[in-house]
Coordinates of all heavy atoms in Angstrom, one line a residue:
M1 N -95.2 -26.4 -73.2 CA -96.4 -26.0 -72.4 C -97.5 -25.9 -73.4 O -97.4 -25.5 -74.5 CB -96.1 -24.7 -71.8 CG -97.2 -24.4 -70.7 SD -96.7 -22.9 -69.8 CE -95.6 -23.5 -68.6
G2 N -98.7 -26.3 -73.0 CA -99.9 -26.2 -73.8 C -100.4 -24.8 -74.0 O -99.9 -23.8 -73.6
E3 N -101.6 -24.7 -74.6 CA -102.3 -23.5 -74.9 C -103.0 -23.1 -73.7 O -103.6 -23.9 -72.9 CB -103.2 -23.6 -76.2 CG -102.4 -24.0 -77.4 CD -102.5 -23.0 -78.4 OE1 -103.4 -22.1 -78.3 OE2 -101.8 -23.1 -79.4
A4 N -103.2 -21.8 -73.6 CA -104.1 -21.3 -72.4 C -105.5 -21.6 -72.8 O -106.0 -21.4 -73.9 CB -103.9 -19.8 -72.2
A5 N -106.3 -21.9 -71.8 CA -107.7 -22.2 -72.0 C -108.4 -20.8 -72.0 O -108.3 -19.9 -71.2 CB -108.3 -23.0 -70.8
T6 N -109.4 -20.7 -72.9 CA -110.1 -19.4 -73.1 C -111.3 -19.4 -72.2 O -111.8 -18.2 -71.9 CB -110.6 -19.3 -74.6 OG1 -111.4 -20.4 -74.9 CG2 -109.4 -19.2 -75.5
G7 N -111.8 -20.4 -71.7 CA -113.0 -20.5 -70.8 C -113.0 -19.5 -69.6 O -113.9 -18.7 -69.4
P8 N -111.9 -19.7 -68.8 CA -111.8 -18.7 -67.7 C -111.7 -17.2 -68.0 O -112.3 -16.4 -67.3 CB -110.6 -19.2 -66.9 CG -110.3 -20.6 -67.4 CD -110.9 -20.6 -68.7
F9 N -111.1 -16.9 -69.2 CA -111.0 -15.5 -69.6 C -112.3 -15.1 -70.0 O -112.7 -13.9 -69.7 CB -110.0 -15.4 -70.7 CG -108.6 -15.6 -70.3 CD1 -107.9 -16.9 -70.5 CD2 -107.8 -14.8 -69.7 CE1 -106.7 -17.2 -70.1 CE2 -106.5 -15.0 -69.3 CZ -105.9 -16.2 -69.6
E10 N -113.1 -15.9 -70.7 CA -114.5 -15.5 -71.1 C -115.4 -15.2 -69.9 O -116.1 -14.2 -69.9 CB -115.1 -16.5 -72.1 CG -114.4 -16.6 -73.5 CD -115.0 -17.7 -74.3 OE1 -116.0 -18.4 -73.8 OE2 -114.6 -17.8 -75.5
D11 N -115.3 -16.1 -68.9 CA -116.1 -15.9 -67.7 C -115.8 -14.7 -67.0 O -116.6 -13.8 -66.7 CB -115.9 -17.1 -66.8 CG -116.5 -18.4 -67.4 OD1 -117.3 -18.4 -68.3 OD2 -116.1 -19.5 -66.8
A12 N -114.4 -14.4 -66.9 CA -114.0 -13.1 -66.2 C -114.5 -11.9 -67.0 O -114.9 -10.9 -66.4 CB -112.5 -13.1 -66.0
C13 N -114.3 -11.9 -68.3 CA -114.6 -10.8 -69.1 C -116.1 -10.6 -69.1 O -116.6 -9.4 -69.3 CB -114.0 -10.9 -70.5 SG -112.3 -10.7 -70.6
L14 N -116.8 -11.6 -69.1 CA -118.4 -11.6 -69.1 C -118.8 -10.8 -67.9 O -119.7 -9.9 -68.0 CB -119.0 -12.9 -69.2 CG -120.5 -13.0 -69.1 CD1 -121.1 -12.2 -70.4 CD2 -121.0 -14.4 -69.1
H15 N -118.1 -11.0 -66.7 CA -118.5 -10.3 -65.5 C -118.0 -8.8 -65.5 O -118.6 -8.0 -65.0 CB -118.0 -11.0 -64.3 CG -118.7 -12.4 -64.1 ND1 -120.0 -12.4 -63.9 CD2 -118.2 -13.6 -64.2 CE1 -120.3 -13.8 -63.7 NE2 -119.2 -14.4 -64.0
S16 N -116.9 -8.6 -66.1 CA -116.2 -7.3 -66.1 C -116.7 -6.3 -67.2 O -116.9 -5.2 -67.0 CB -114.7 -7.4 -66.2 OG -114.2 -8.1 -65.1
F17 N -116.9 -6.9 -68.4 CA -117.3 -6.1 -69.6 C -118.6 -6.6 -70.2 O -118.7 -7.9 -70.4 CB -116.2 -6.2 -70.7 CG -114.8 -5.9 -70.2 CD1 -113.9 -7.0 -70.0 CD2 -114.5 -4.7 -69.8 CE1 -112.6 -6.7 -69.6 CE2 -113.2 -4.4 -69.3 CZ -112.2 -5.4 -69.2
S18 N -119.6 -5.8 -70.3 CA -120.8 -6.4 -70.9 C -120.8 -6.4 -72.4 O -121.4 -7.3 -73.0 CB -122.0 -5.5 -70.4 OG -121.8 -4.1 -70.8
E19 N -120.1 -5.4 -73.0 CA -120.0 -5.4 -74.5 C -118.7 -6.0 -74.9 O -117.6 -5.8 -74.3 CB -120.1 -4.0 -75.0 CG -121.5 -3.4 -74.6 CD -121.5 -1.9 -75.1 OE1 -120.6 -1.5 -75.7 OE2 -122.5 -1.3 -74.8
D20 N -118.7 -6.6 -76.0 CA -117.4 -7.2 -76.7 C -116.6 -8.1 -75.7 O -115.4 -8.0 -75.7 CB -116.6 -6.1 -77.3 CG -117.4 -5.3 -78.3 OD1 -118.2 -5.9 -79.0 OD2 -117.1 -4.1 -78.5
Y21 N -117.3 -8.8 -74.8 CA -116.5 -9.6 -73.9 C -115.7 -10.7 -74.6 O -114.6 -11.1 -74.2 CB -117.3 -10.2 -72.7 CG -118.3 -11.4 -73.2 CD1 -117.8 -12.6 -72.9 CD2 -119.4 -11.1 -73.8 CE1 -118.6 -13.7 -73.3 CE2 -120.2 -12.2 -74.1 CZ -119.8 -13.5 -73.9 OH -120.5 -14.6 -74.2
E22 N -116.3 -11.3 -75.6 CA -115.5 -12.3 -76.4 C -114.3 -11.9 -77.0 O -113.3 -12.5 -77.0 CB -116.6 -13.0 -77.4 CG -117.7 -13.7 -76.8 CD -118.6 -14.2 -77.9 OE1 -118.6 -13.7 -79.0 OE2 -119.3 -15.1 -77.7
E23 N -114.3 -10.6 -77.6 CA -113.2 -10.1 -78.2 C -112.1 -9.8 -77.3 O -110.9 -10.1 -77.4 CB -113.5 -8.8 -79.0 CG -112.3 -8.1 -79.7 CD -112.7 -6.8 -80.3 OE1 -114.0 -6.6 -80.6 OE2 -111.8 -6.0 -80.4
K24 N -112.5 -9.2 -76.1 CA -111.5 -8.9 -75.1 C -110.9 -10.1 -74.4 O -109.7 -10.1 -74.1 CB -112.2 -8.0 -74.0 CG -112.6 -6.6 -74.5 CD -113.2 -5.7 -73.5 CE -113.5 -4.3 -74.2 NZ -114.0 -3.4 -73.3
S25 N -111.8 -11.1 -74.1 CA -111.2 -12.4 -73.6 C -110.2 -13.1 -74.5 O -109.2 -13.5 -74.1 CB -112.3 -13.3 -73.2 OG -113.0 -13.8 -74.3
T26 N -110.5 -13.0 -75.8 CA -109.6 -13.5 -76.8 C -108.3 -12.8 -76.8 O -107.1 -13.4 -76.9 CB -110.3 -13.6 -78.2 OG1 -111.5 -14.3 -78.1 CG2 -109.3 -14.3 -79.2
R27 N -108.3 -11.5 -76.7 CA -107.1 -10.7 -76.8 C -106.3 -11.0 -75.5 O -105.1 -11.1 -75.6 CB -107.5 -9.2 -76.9 CG -106.4 -8.3 -77.1 CD -106.7 -6.9 -77.2 NE -107.1 -6.4 -76.0 CZ -108.0 -5.4 -75.8 NH1 -108.3 -4.6 -76.9 NH2 -108.4 -5.0 -74.6
I28 N -106.9 -11.0 -74.4 CA -106.2 -11.2 -73.1 C -105.6 -12.5 -73.1 O -104.5 -12.8 -72.7 CB -107.1 -11.0 -71.9 CG1 -107.6 -9.6 -71.8 CG2 -106.4 -11.4 -70.6 CD1 -108.7 -9.3 -70.8
C29 N -106.3 -13.5 -73.5 CA -105.8 -14.9 -73.6 C -104.6 -15.0 -74.6 O -103.6 -15.7 -74.3 CB -106.9 -15.9 -74.1 SG -106.5 -17.6 -74.1
S30 N -104.6 -14.3 -75.7 CA -103.6 -14.4 -76.6 C -102.3 -13.7 -76.1 O -101.2 -14.2 -76.4 CB -104.0 -13.8 -78.1 OG -104.3 -12.5 -78.0
L31 N -102.6 -12.6 -75.4 CA -101.4 -11.9 -74.8 C -100.7 -12.9 -73.7 O -99.5 -13.0 -73.6 CB -101.8 -10.6 -74.0 CG -102.1 -9.5 -74.9 CD1 -102.8 -8.3 -74.1 CD2 -100.9 -9.0 -75.7
L32 N -101.5 -13.5 -72.9 CA -100.9 -14.5 -71.9 C -100.2 -15.6 -72.7 O -99.1 -16.0 -72.3 CB -102.0 -15.1 -71.0 CG -101.5 -16.0 -70.0 CD1 -100.6 -15.4 -69.0 CD2 -102.6 -16.8 -69.4
Q33 N -100.8 -16.1 -73.7 CA -100.2 -17.2 -74.5 C -98.8 -16.7 -75.1 O -97.9 -17.4 -75.1 CB -101.2 -17.7 -75.6 CG -100.6 -18.8 -76.4 CD -100.5 -20.1 -75.5 OE1 -101.4 -20.3 -74.6 NE2 -99.5 -20.9 -75.7
H34 N -98.9 -15.5 -75.5 CA -97.6 -14.9 -76.1 C -96.5 -14.8 -75.0 O -95.3 -15.2 -75.3 CB -97.9 -13.6 -76.7 CG -96.6 -12.9 -77.1 ND1 -95.9 -13.2 -78.2 CD2 -95.9 -11.8 -76.6 CE1 -94.9 -12.4 -78.3 NE2 -94.8 -11.6 -77.4
D35 N -96.9 -14.4 -73.9 CA -95.9 -14.3 -72.7 C -95.5 -15.6 -72.3 O -94.3 -15.8 -72.0 CB -96.6 -13.5 -71.5 CG -96.7 -12.0 -71.7 OD1 -96.1 -11.5 -72.7 OD2 -97.5 -11.4 -71.1
V36 N -96.4 -16.6 -72.1 CA -96.0 -17.9 -71.7 C -95.1 -18.5 -72.7 O -94.1 -19.3 -72.3 CB -97.2 -18.8 -71.5 CG1 -96.9 -20.2 -71.3 CG2 -98.0 -18.3 -70.3
T37 N -95.2 -18.4 -73.9 CA -94.2 -19.0 -74.9 C -92.9 -18.3 -75.0 O -92.0 -18.8 -75.6 CB -94.8 -19.1 -76.3 OG1 -95.3 -17.7 -76.7 CG2 -96.1 -19.9 -76.3
N38 N -92.8 -17.1 -74.5 CA -91.6 -16.4 -74.5 C -90.7 -16.9 -73.4 O -91.0 -16.8 -72.2 CB -91.8 -14.9 -74.3 CG -90.5 -14.1 -74.3 OD1 -89.5 -14.6 -74.4 ND2 -90.7 -12.8 -74.1
P39 N -89.5 -17.5 -73.6 CA -88.6 -18.1 -72.6 C -88.1 -17.0 -71.7 O -87.6 -17.4 -70.5 CB -87.6 -18.8 -73.3 CG -87.5 -18.2 -74.7 CD -88.9 -17.7 -75.0
M40 N -88.0 -15.8 -72.1 CA -87.4 -14.8 -71.2 C -88.4 -14.1 -70.3 O -88.1 -13.4 -69.4 CB -86.7 -13.7 -72.1 CG -85.6 -14.2 -73.0 SD -84.3 -15.0 -72.0 CE -83.7 -13.7 -71.1
W41 N -89.7 -14.5 -70.4 CA -90.8 -13.9 -69.6 C -90.9 -14.7 -68.3 O -91.0 -16.0 -68.4 CB -92.1 -13.9 -70.4 CG -93.2 -13.4 -69.6 CD1 -93.5 -12.0 -69.4 CD2 -94.2 -14.1 -68.9 NE1 -94.7 -12.0 -68.6 CE2 -95.1 -13.2 -68.3 CE3 -94.4 -15.4 -68.8 CZ2 -96.2 -13.6 -67.6 CZ3 -95.7 -15.9 -68.1 CH2 -96.4 -14.9 -67.4
H42 N -90.9 -14.0 -67.2 CA -91.2 -14.7 -65.9 C -92.3 -13.9 -65.1 O -92.0 -12.6 -65.0 CB -89.9 -14.8 -65.1 CG -88.8 -15.6 -65.8 ND1 -88.9 -16.9 -65.8 CD2 -87.7 -15.2 -66.4 CE1 -87.8 -17.4 -66.4 NE2 -87.1 -16.5 -66.8
P43 N -93.2 -14.4 -64.6 CA -94.2 -13.7 -63.8 C -93.7 -13.5 -62.3 O -94.4 -12.8 -61.5 CB -95.4 -14.6 -63.7 CG -94.8 -16.0 -63.9 CD -93.6 -15.8 -64.7
F44 N -92.5 -13.9 -62.0 CA -91.9 -13.7 -60.8 C -90.7 -12.8 -60.8 O -89.9 -12.7 -61.8 CB -91.5 -15.0 -60.2 CG -92.6 -16.0 -60.0 CD1 -92.7 -17.0 -61.0 CD2 -93.4 -15.9 -59.0 CE1 -93.7 -17.9 -60.9 CE2 -94.4 -16.9 -58.9 CZ -94.6 -17.8 -59.8
K45 N -90.4 -12.0 -59.8 CA -89.2 -11.2 -59.7 C -88.1 -12.1 -59.2 O -88.4 -12.8 -58.1 CB -89.4 -10.0 -58.8 CG -88.2 -9.1 -58.8 CD -88.4 -7.9 -58.0 CE -87.1 -7.1 -57.9 NZ -87.3 -5.8 -57.2
K46 N -87.0 -12.2 -59.7 CA -85.9 -12.9 -59.2 C -84.7 -12.0 -58.7 O -84.5 -11.0 -59.2 CB -85.2 -13.8 -60.2 CG -86.2 -14.9 -60.8 CD -85.5 -15.7 -61.9 CE -86.3 -16.7 -62.5 NZ -85.5 -17.4 -63.5
E47 N -84.2 -12.4 -57.5 CA -83.1 -11.6 -57.0 C -81.8 -12.5 -57.2 O -81.7 -13.7 -57.0 CB -83.3 -11.4 -55.5 CG -84.4 -10.6 -55.2 CD -84.7 -10.3 -53.7 OE1 -84.1 -11.1 -52.9 OE2 -85.4 -9.4 -53.3
F48 N -80.8 -11.8 -57.6 CA -79.5 -12.4 -58.0 C -78.6 -12.1 -56.7 O -78.2 -11.0 -56.5 CB -78.8 -11.8 -59.2 CG -77.7 -12.5 -59.8 CD1 -78.0 -13.8 -60.4 CD2 -76.5 -12.0 -59.6 CE1 -76.8 -14.5 -60.8 CE2 -75.3 -12.7 -60.2 CZ -75.6 -14.0 -60.7
V49 N -78.3 -13.2 -55.9 CA -77.6 -13.1 -54.7 C -76.4 -14.1 -54.7 O -76.7 -15.3 -54.9 CB -78.5 -13.2 -53.5 CG1 -77.6 -13.1 -52.1 CG2 -79.6 -12.2 -53.5
D50 N -75.3 -13.7 -54.4 CA -74.1 -14.6 -54.4 C -73.9 -15.5 -55.6 O -73.7 -16.7 -55.5 CB -74.2 -15.4 -53.1 CG -74.1 -14.6 -51.8 OD1 -73.5 -13.6 -51.8 OD2 -74.8 -15.1 -50.8
G51 N -74.2 -14.9 -56.8 CA -73.9 -15.6 -58.0 C -75.0 -16.5 -58.4 O -74.9 -17.4 -59.3
K52 N -76.2 -16.5 -57.7 CA -77.3 -17.4 -58.1 C -78.6 -16.6 -57.9 O -78.7 -15.7 -57.1 CB -77.3 -18.7 -57.4 CG -77.3 -18.7 -55.9 CD -77.2 -20.0 -55.3 CE -77.3 -19.9 -53.9 NZ -77.1 -21.2 -53.2
F53 N -79.7 -17.1 -58.5 CA -80.9 -16.4 -58.3 C -81.6 -17.1 -57.1 O -81.6 -18.3 -56.9 CB -81.8 -16.7 -59.6 CG -81.4 -15.9 -60.7 CD1 -80.9 -16.4 -61.8 CD2 -81.7 -14.5 -60.8 CE1 -80.5 -15.7 -62.9 CE2 -81.4 -13.8 -61.9 CZ -80.7 -14.3 -62.9
N54 N -82.2 -16.2 -56.3 CA -82.9 -16.6 -55.0 C -84.2 -15.8 -54.9 O -84.5 -14.8 -55.6 CB -82.1 -16.3 -53.8 CG -80.9 -17.1 -53.7 OD1 -80.8 -18.3 -54.2 ND2 -79.8 -16.6 -53.1
A55 N -85.1 -16.2 -54.0 CA -86.2 -15.5 -53.5 C -87.1 -15.0 -54.6 O -87.3 -13.8 -54.8 CB -85.8 -14.3 -52.7
R56 N -87.8 -15.9 -55.4 CA -88.7 -15.6 -56.4 C -90.1 -15.2 -55.7 O -90.5 -15.9 -54.8 CB -89.0 -16.7 -57.3 CG -87.8 -17.1 -58.1 CD -88.0 -18.2 -59.1 NE -89.1 -19.1 -58.8 CZ -89.6 -19.9 -59.6 NH1 -89.3 -20.0 -60.8 NH2 -90.6 -20.8 -59.1
Y57 N -90.7 -14.1 -56.2 CA -91.9 -13.7 -55.6 C -92.7 -12.9 -56.6 O -92.2 -12.3 -57.5 CB -91.8 -12.9 -54.3 CG -90.9 -11.7 -54.5 CD1 -91.4 -10.5 -54.7 CD2 -89.6 -11.9 -54.2 CE1 -90.5 -9.4 -54.8 CE2 -88.6 -10.8 -54.3 CZ -89.2 -9.5 -54.6 OH -88.4 -8.4 -54.7
L58 N -94.1 -12.9 -56.5 CA -94.9 -12.2 -57.4 C -94.8 -10.7 -57.2 O -94.6 -10.3 -56.2 CB -96.3 -12.6 -57.3 CG -96.7 -14.0 -57.7 CD1 -98.2 -14.3 -57.2 CD2 -96.6 -14.1 -59.3
I59 N -94.9 -10.0 -58.3 CA -94.9 -8.5 -58.3 C -96.4 -8.1 -58.5 O -96.9 -8.2 -59.5 CB -94.0 -7.9 -59.4 CG1 -92.6 -8.4 -59.1 CG2 -94.1 -6.4 -59.3 CD1 -91.7 -8.1 -60.3
P60 N -97.0 -7.5 -57.4 CA -98.4 -7.1 -57.6 C -98.5 -5.8 -58.5 O -97.6 -4.9 -58.3 CB -98.8 -6.8 -56.2 CG -97.6 -6.5 -55.3 CD -96.5 -7.4 -56.1
E61 N -99.5 -5.7 -59.2 CA -99.7 -4.6 -60.1 C -101.2 -4.2 -60.0 O -102.0 -5.0 -59.9 CB -99.4 -4.9 -61.5 CG -97.9 -5.1 -61.8 CD -97.7 -5.4 -63.2 OE1 -98.6 -5.8 -64.0 OE2 -96.6 -5.3 -63.6
L62 N -101.4 -2.9 -59.9 CA -102.8 -2.4 -60.0 C -103.2 -2.0 -61.3 O -102.4 -1.3 -62.0 CB -102.9 -1.2 -59.0 CG -102.7 -1.5 -57.5 CD1 -102.7 -0.2 -56.7 CD2 -103.7 -2.5 -57.0
W63 N -104.4 -2.4 -61.8 CA -104.8 -2.0 -63.1 C -106.0 -1.2 -63.1 O -106.9 -1.3 -62.3 CB -105.1 -3.3 -63.9 CG -103.9 -4.0 -64.4 CD1 -103.0 -4.8 -63.7 CD2 -103.3 -3.8 -65.7 NE1 -101.9 -5.2 -64.5 CE2 -102.1 -4.5 -65.7 CE3 -103.6 -3.0 -66.8 CZ2 -101.2 -4.6 -66.8 CZ3 -102.8 -3.1 -67.9 CH2 -101.6 -4.0 -67.9
S64 N -106.0 -0.2 -64.0 CA -107.2 0.5 -64.3 C -107.9 -0.1 -65.4 O -107.6 0.0 -66.6 CB -106.9 1.9 -64.8 OG -107.9 2.8 -65.1
L65 N -109.0 -0.9 -65.0 CA -109.7 -1.8 -66.1 C -110.4 -0.9 -67.0 O -110.6 -1.2 -68.3 CB -110.6 -2.7 -65.4 CG -109.9 -3.8 -64.5 CD1 -111.0 -4.6 -63.9 CD2 -109.0 -4.6 -65.5
N66 N -110.8 0.3 -66.6 CA -111.6 1.1 -67.6 C -110.7 1.7 -68.7 O -111.1 1.9 -69.9 CB -112.1 2.4 -66.8 CG -113.2 1.9 -65.9 OD1 -113.8 0.8 -66.0 ND2 -113.5 2.7 -64.8
D67 N -109.4 2.0 -68.3 CA -108.5 2.4 -69.3 C -107.5 1.4 -69.9 O -106.9 1.7 -70.9 CB -107.5 3.6 -68.6 CG -108.4 4.7 -68.1 OD1 -109.5 5.0 -68.7 OD2 -107.9 5.4 -67.1
G68 N -107.5 0.2 -69.4 CA -106.7 -0.9 -69.9 C -105.3 -0.6 -69.8 O -104.5 -0.9 -70.6
R69 N -104.9 -0.1 -68.6 CA -103.4 0.2 -68.3 C -103.1 0.0 -66.8 O -104.1 -0.1 -66.1 CB -103.1 1.5 -68.8 CG -103.9 2.7 -68.1 CD -103.4 4.0 -68.4 NE -104.3 5.0 -67.8 CZ -104.3 5.4 -66.5 NH1 -103.5 4.8 -65.6 NH2 -105.1 6.2 -66.1
K70 N -101.8 0.1 -66.5 CA -101.5 0.1 -65.1 C -102.1 1.4 -64.4 O -101.9 2.4 -65.0 CB -100.0 -0.1 -64.9 CG -99.4 -1.3 -65.3 CD -97.9 -1.3 -65.0 CE -97.2 -2.6 -65.5 NZ -95.8 -2.6 -65.2
A71 N -102.5 1.2 -63.2 CA -102.9 2.3 -62.4 C -101.7 3.1 -61.8 O -100.8 2.4 -61.4 CB -104.0 1.9 -61.3
S72 N -101.9 4.4 -61.8 CA -100.8 5.2 -61.2 C -100.9 5.1 -59.7 O -101.9 4.7 -59.1 CB -100.8 6.7 -61.7 OG -102.0 7.2 -61.2
L73 N -99.9 5.5 -59.0 CA -99.9 5.6 -57.5 C -101.0 6.5 -57.0 O -101.7 6.1 -56.0 CB -98.5 6.0 -57.0 CG -98.4 6.0 -55.5 CD1 -98.6 4.6 -54.8 CD2 -97.0 6.5 -55.1
Q74 N -101.2 7.6 -57.6 CA -102.2 8.5 -57.2 C -103.5 7.9 -57.3 O -104.4 8.0 -56.5 CB -102.1 9.8 -58.0 CG -100.9 10.7 -57.8 CD -99.7 10.2 -58.5 OE1 -99.8 9.3 -59.4 NE2 -98.6 10.7 -58.2
E75 N -103.8 7.1 -58.4 CA -105.1 6.6 -58.6 C -105.4 5.5 -57.5 O -106.5 5.3 -57.0 CB -105.2 5.8 -59.9 CG -105.3 6.8 -61.2 CD -105.2 6.1 -62.4 OE1 -104.4 5.2 -62.6 OE2 -105.8 6.6 -63.4
A76 N -104.3 4.7 -57.1 CA -104.3 3.7 -56.2 C -104.7 4.3 -54.8 O -105.6 3.8 -54.0 CB -103.1 2.9 -56.1
I77 N -104.0 5.4 -54.5 CA -104.3 6.1 -53.2 C -105.7 6.6 -53.2 O -106.4 6.5 -52.1 CB -103.2 7.1 -53.0 CG1 -101.9 6.6 -52.8 CG2 -103.7 8.1 -51.8 CD1 -100.8 7.7 -52.7
K78 N -106.2 7.2 -54.2 CA -107.6 7.7 -54.2 C -108.6 6.6 -54.0 O -109.5 6.7 -53.3 CB -107.9 8.4 -55.6 CG -107.3 9.7 -55.8 CD -107.6 10.3 -57.1 CE -106.9 11.6 -57.4 NZ -107.2 12.2 -58.7
C79 N -108.2 5.4 -54.6 CA -109.2 4.3 -54.5 C -109.2 3.8 -53.0 O -110.3 3.4 -52.5 CB -108.8 3.1 -55.4 SG -109.9 1.7 -55.4
V80 N -108.1 3.8 -52.4 CA -108.0 3.3 -51.0 C -108.7 4.3 -50.1 O -109.4 3.8 -49.2 CB -106.5 3.1 -50.6 CG1 -106.4 2.8 -49.1 CG2 -105.8 1.9 -51.3
I81 N -108.5 5.5 -50.3 CA -109.1 6.5 -49.5 C -110.7 6.4 -49.7 O -111.4 6.5 -48.6 CB -108.7 8.0 -49.8 CG1 -107.3 8.2 -49.4 CG2 -109.6 9.1 -49.3 CD1 -106.6 9.4 -49.9
I82 N -111.2 6.2 -50.9 CA -112.7 6.1 -51.0 C -113.1 4.8 -50.3 O -114.2 4.8 -49.6 CB -113.0 6.0 -52.6 CG1 -112.8 7.3 -53.2 CG2 -114.4 5.5 -52.8 CD1 -112.8 7.3 -54.7
E83 N -112.4 3.7 -50.4 CA -112.8 2.5 -49.7 C -112.8 2.7 -48.2 O -113.7 2.2 -47.5 CB -111.9 1.4 -50.1 CG -112.0 0.9 -51.6 CD -113.3 0.2 -51.8 OE1 -113.9 -0.5 -50.9 OE2 -113.9 0.5 -52.9
L84 N -111.7 3.4 -47.7 CA -111.7 3.7 -46.2 C -112.9 4.5 -45.8 O -113.5 4.2 -44.7 CB -110.4 4.3 -45.8 CG -109.2 3.4 -45.9 CD1 -107.9 4.2 -45.5 CD2 -109.4 2.3 -44.7
K85 N -113.3 5.6 -46.5 CA -114.4 6.4 -46.1 C -115.7 5.5 -46.2 O -116.5 5.7 -45.3 CB -114.5 7.5 -47.1 CG -113.5 8.6 -46.9 CD -113.6 9.8 -47.9 CE -112.5 10.8 -47.7 NZ -112.7 11.9 -48.6
T86 N -115.9 4.6 -47.2 CA -117.0 3.9 -47.2 C -117.1 2.9 -46.0 O -118.2 2.8 -45.4 CB -117.1 3.0 -48.6 OG1 -117.0 3.9 -49.6 CG2 -118.3 2.2 -48.7
Y87 N -116.0 2.3 -45.7 CA -115.9 1.4 -44.6 C -116.2 2.1 -43.3 O -117.0 1.6 -42.5 CB -114.5 0.8 -44.5 CG -114.3 -0.2 -43.4 CD1 -114.9 -1.5 -43.3 CD2 -113.6 0.2 -42.3 CE1 -114.9 -2.3 -42.3 CE2 -113.4 -0.7 -41.2 CZ -114.0 -2.0 -41.2 OH -113.9 -2.8 -40.2
K88 N -115.6 3.3 -43.2 CA -115.9 4.0 -41.8 C -117.4 4.5 -41.8 O -118.0 4.4 -40.6 CB -115.0 5.2 -41.7 CG -113.6 4.9 -41.4 CD -112.7 6.1 -41.3 CE -111.2 5.7 -41.0 NZ -110.4 6.9 -40.9
S89 N -118.0 4.9 -42.9 CA -119.4 5.3 -42.8 C -120.3 4.0 -42.5 O -121.3 4.2 -41.8 CB -119.8 5.9 -44.1 OG -119.8 5.0 -45.2
L90 N -119.9 2.9 -43.0 CA -120.7 1.7 -42.7 C -120.5 1.3 -41.2 O -121.4 0.9 -40.5 CB -120.2 0.5 -43.5 CG -120.7 0.6 -45.0 CD1 -120.1 -0.6 -45.7 CD2 -122.2 0.5 -45.1
E91 N -119.3 1.6 -40.7 CA -119.0 1.3 -39.3 C -119.8 2.1 -38.3 O -120.3 1.7 -37.3 CB -117.6 1.4 -38.9 CG -116.8 0.2 -38.4 CD -115.4 0.4 -38.2 OE1 -114.9 1.6 -37.9 OE2 -114.6 -0.5 -38.3
R92 N -119.9 3.4 -38.7 CA -120.7 4.3 -37.9 C -122.2 4.0 -37.8 O -122.9 4.3 -36.8 CB -120.5 5.8 -38.4 CG -119.1 6.3 -38.1 CD -119.0 7.7 -38.6 NE -117.7 8.1 -38.7 CZ -117.1 8.8 -39.6 NH1 -117.9 9.2 -40.6 NH2 -115.8 9.1 -39.7
K93 N -122.7 3.4 -38.8 CA -124.1 3.2 -38.9 C -124.5 1.9 -38.1 O -125.7 1.8 -37.7 CB -124.6 2.8 -40.3 CG -124.6 4.0 -41.2 CD -125.0 3.8 -42.7 CE -124.9 5.0 -43.5 NZ -125.3 4.8 -44.8
R94 N -123.5 1.1 -37.7 CA -123.8 -0.1 -36.9 C -124.1 0.2 -35.5 O -124.2 0.8 -34.7 CB -122.7 -1.1 -37.0 CG -122.6 -1.7 -38.3 CD -121.4 -2.6 -38.4 NE -121.2 -3.1 -39.7 CZ -120.3 -4.0 -40.0 NH1 -119.5 -4.5 -39.2 NH2 -120.1 -4.3 -41.3

């Protein structure tokens, strides 16, 4: 498999981070490249059923981009509640 292209990472980091976006995009790209070259890494969850692997599917993860880590369940619930309140307030104004 070839190398990961840095262009899309730079574009995404430019929109997400105003400072040091080049350094962050390079770091993210190199992490992905490391994972892709690891033969034991799979971005899909596999289920072992009846002696064989079946039903591959993606595992969604919520990230706290400000902290650079996975978001906790409490953080995700707070975010959803804030979004719902915003949506409901916009609905009432119409």
Side-chain angles (χ1 to χ4, degrees):
M1 189 175 283
E3 300 244 346
T6 58
F9 292 100
E10 288 178 0
D11 293 341
C13 287
L14 178 62
H15 294 294
S16 299
F17 311 106
S18 59
E19 298 176 3
D20 298 331
Y21 76 94
E22 291 175 340
E23 178 185 335
K24 290 181 182 185
S25 67
T26 304
R27 187 177 67 200
I28 293 170
C29 185
S30 66
L31 286 173
L32 177 68
Q33 186 65 38
H34 174 72
D35 287 340
V36 169
T37 56
N38 181 1
M40 297 305 294
W41 178 79
H42 297 284
F44 301 99
K45 181 176 181 179
K46 295 181 180 181
E47 294 179 347
F48 194 71
V49 179
D50 296 331
K52 59 182 177 180
F53 286 107
N54 292 331
R56 297 185 326 166
Y57 53 92
L58 288 173
I59 302 172
E61 293 180 342
L62 296 174
W63 279 84
S64 174
L65 293 177
N66 295 335
D67 299 334
R69 59 174 175 76
K70 289 184 187 178
S72 67
L73 181 60
Q74 290 82 10
E75 291 172 324
I77 291 171
K78 285 180 186 178
C79 183
V80 169
I81 289 171
I82 290 170
E83 290 294 321
L84 284 174
K85 286 180 180 178
T86 304
Y87 178 73
K88 285 181 180 181
S89 68
L90 288 175
E91 235 179 32
R92 289 183 193 142
K93 291 180 181 179
R94 290 181 189 176

